[in-house]
Structure formats: C-alpha cells, structure tokens
DNA sequence: TTAGATGCAAAGTATTTGCACTACC
DNA sequence: GGTAGTGCAAATACTTTGCATCTAA
C-alpha cells in the first residue's frame, strides 16, 4: 500500500474528497503489519475516532482493494485486508483460526496466464500452528 | 480426492454408513474437474437424486475437507470445494466472478514453516479473464 | 436394534445497499 | 453551493445448528 499522503494525492486528482475517516483508516493500515478484518479495523479506529461506522470502513477498504492498494482474501467467510503487497503467503490455523504472514516462495503476480491478467495473488497455507499441533497430539 | 470406492471403504472402517446421498456426492465430485460451490453440487445432484438437501451436501463436503480429500477455499464469501488436490492455482475474475484452474508453480504443501504444519495450499490469482479484460478496455 | 445420517426450519454472521444527512472542496 | 462521502437501518446471502425422523449395518 502507498503512504497515506500518496493516497490523499490520488483522491484529489480524481476529484474525490479526503475525509478524516479515510485518512484515519489509511494511517491505521499503514501502521499495520497484519491482515486485519473490517471489524478489527473498525474496532481499532474507534479509539481515535469513536463515531466511524462499519459501513464506511467497508467502503474505504473495498476502494483500496479495487485500486490494488491492499490485498483482499477470504478465510472462513470473513474478508481480510492486507496492506503488505510484497510477495508473501498466509498461514491459516484450522483450529484456532489465527492467521500469520509467512515467508515463502510464491508465484509472481506479474504473470499472464493464457489471456488472464493477474492483479494480485493470495497464497494460503491451511494447517495447524505449533500451539495447536501440540495440543492435537496430547488429546 | 480418492475414488468413491476408496472413500466407501474408509467410511466402513470407521463405523460410518455409506448412504446413497454420500455416494452420489462422491461420484459427482469424482467426475468434476472444477471447484464447485455447495449450491452448484446440490443443483447437479438434484438431477439424479431430487430429494437431497443442501444441509446434507454441506455436511458431506465439510467431512471431505476436514479429511483432506478436497481442498476448500473461499472467494467473495462463498466456499468452493476442489476435488483436484494436485498442485495448481485458481484464477478468479474480479468482474464476472468466474474461477478456473490454471497451471502454475505453486508452493509445495509438504513444507513446515517455523512449527506450522501445512495440510493444504490454496493459490488464488485475482484479476481479469480475457473476456472481461477486453470489455474493460472498450468501455 | 441402534448409532449414525438426513433434512427441515431457524439461527447466526458477514457484507452490501438505499437513502437522507453532512461536510469537504 | 454542489457533489462526494458518511452512517443508519434494512436487506441479502452463505453456512451452521437443533432436533425429530429415517435407515444402513
């Protein structure tokens, strides 16, 4: 994701408005190294801006995803938004549901597959994190 | 996914029952080269077995996914079930929503990442299929 | 005979949409 | 001042769950 300043510029250029809500969301994402859900962002946002609505959060996130600024991916019926667009993979624990970024050799997103134009790639490892794997063996 | 015969065997071994519903679902999946949704499977199933319920389809699919027989992944809030467990990627069109399997170099699922035990991998390319990419330029 | 499976209806949850109000430019 | 954005409430959609009924073994 680009910096909040760059995004602000881009909005002005297309005749949009830079609202405090959007700015706060951009700043939150810029300082986030995870892959938060809309709900999580809304929660964190309320601490600095108590009146923001979840609807607005969704709209801002969908814009960013459509513009390719964040990577959106679904796990278990919940959408996650990852501001880190560098090539990496996500590890999803099937027991506790936690997701963490992992380094891995992932496919290059600059490929073209038989006419299909790729704009982003999500690589998801499903499995068991060390905590849950241990707990699994015990029981 | 293993053959319907092998799955039948496995069910018997663990004291389960091989119902006509399960068998029909297994056969449908075995002859499917896509990544159908529960709804799609239910639809196709009704042609050979009009009384099967969507609930039963979900239960059978969840069993298969938990057993690692099919790969489950979510796109846009909808779950897809892929009987093809060979390494491959999915290409998701952001406009028409169509998903197709593509050959690509995907990460090996037999890796262990810092204590995380991987059981399956989903690689999703988001972008625009040739039809939609063309339509996008026109408009 | 009986434990396991089915299927209806209802609940639960995530995300989107319509519309009136607000505020950035 | 005009238009883009916000936010409430309601709608929509997918999946799971409780429970009574049925059936494969």
């Amino acid at each position: 994701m680009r910096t909040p300043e760059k995004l602000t510029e881009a909005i002005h250029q297309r005749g949009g408005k830079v609202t405090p809500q959007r700015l706060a969301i951009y700043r939150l994402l810029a300082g986030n190294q995870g892959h938060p859900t809309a709900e999580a962002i809304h929660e964190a946002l309320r601490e600095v801006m108590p009146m923001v609505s979840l609807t607005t959060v969704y709209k801002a996130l969908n814009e960013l995803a459509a513009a390719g600024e964040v990577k959106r991916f679904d796990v278990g019926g919940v959408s996650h938004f990852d501001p880190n667009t560098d090539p990496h993979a996500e590890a999803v624990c099937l027991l506790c549901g936690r997701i963490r970024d992992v380094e891995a050799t992932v496919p290059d997103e600059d490929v073209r597959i038989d006419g299909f134009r790729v704009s982003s790639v999500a690589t998801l490892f499903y499995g068991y994190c060390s905590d849950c794997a241990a707990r699994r063996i015990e029981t």
Side-chain angles (χ1 to χ4, degrees), chain A residues 75-76 91-100 124-130 132-133 135-136:
Chain A
V75 173
V92 183
C93 180
L94 296 170
L95 273 186
C96 67
R98 265 182 298 193
I99 305 175
R100 55 174 247 237
L124 303 176
F125 290 99
Y126 297 97
Y128 302 94
C129 69
S130 47
C132 290
R135 206 170 302 133
R136 260 191 123 208

Side-chain angles (χ1 to χ4, degrees), chain A residues 32-53:
Chain A
N32 193 306
Q33 284 310 307
H35 27 249
T37 62
E39 185 65 46
I41 292 166
H42 185 228
E43 201 68 23
L45 211 52
R46 290 171 68 88
E47 291 182 14
V48 293
M49 187 178 279
M51 290 300 289
V52 197
S53 76

Side-chain angles (χ1 to χ4, degrees), chain A residues 71-134:
Chain A
K71 178 170 82 176
R72 177 183 191 158
F73 61 90
D74 296 344
V75 173
V78 183
S79 295
H80 294 256
F81 301 85
D82 193 336
N84 177 13
T85 46
D86 296 337
H88 68 284
E90 269 81 30
V92 183
C93 180
L94 296 170
L95 273 186
C96 67
R98 265 182 298 193
I99 305 175
R100 55 174 247 237
D101 286 8
V102 295
E103 284 182 39
T105 308
V106 301
D108 196 335
E109 70 177 46
D110 292 332
V111 293
R112 261 173 172 266
I113 311 158
D114 195 13
F116 190 97
R117 176 178 243 139
V118 177
S119 60
S120 85
V121 187
T123 303
L124 303 176
F125 290 99
Y126 297 97
Y128 302 94
C129 69
S130 47
D131 289 357
C132 290

Side-chain angles (χ1 to χ4, degrees), chain A residues 2-64:
Chain A
R2 286 182 288 173
T3 64
E5 290 71 33
K6 291 280 184 190
L7 293 175
T8 295
E9 247 180 74
I11 288 178
H12 277 147
Q13 278 183 357
R14 66 161 169 79
K17 295 173 182 174
V18 178
T19 61
Q21 288 91 335
R22 274 180 177 165
L23 206 50
I25 291 168
Y26 297 164
R27 286 188 179 137
L28 216 86
L29 286 170
N32 193 306
Q33 284 310 307
H35 27 249
T37 62
E39 185 65 46
I41 292 166
H42 185 228
E43 201 68 23
L45 211 52
R46 290 171 68 88
E47 291 182 14
V48 293
M49 187 178 279
M51 290 300 289
V52 197
S53 76
L54 187 54
T55 304
T56 296
V57 173
Y58 269 111
K59 282 175 182 164
L61 290 172
N62 282 340
E63 273 176 12
L64 291 174

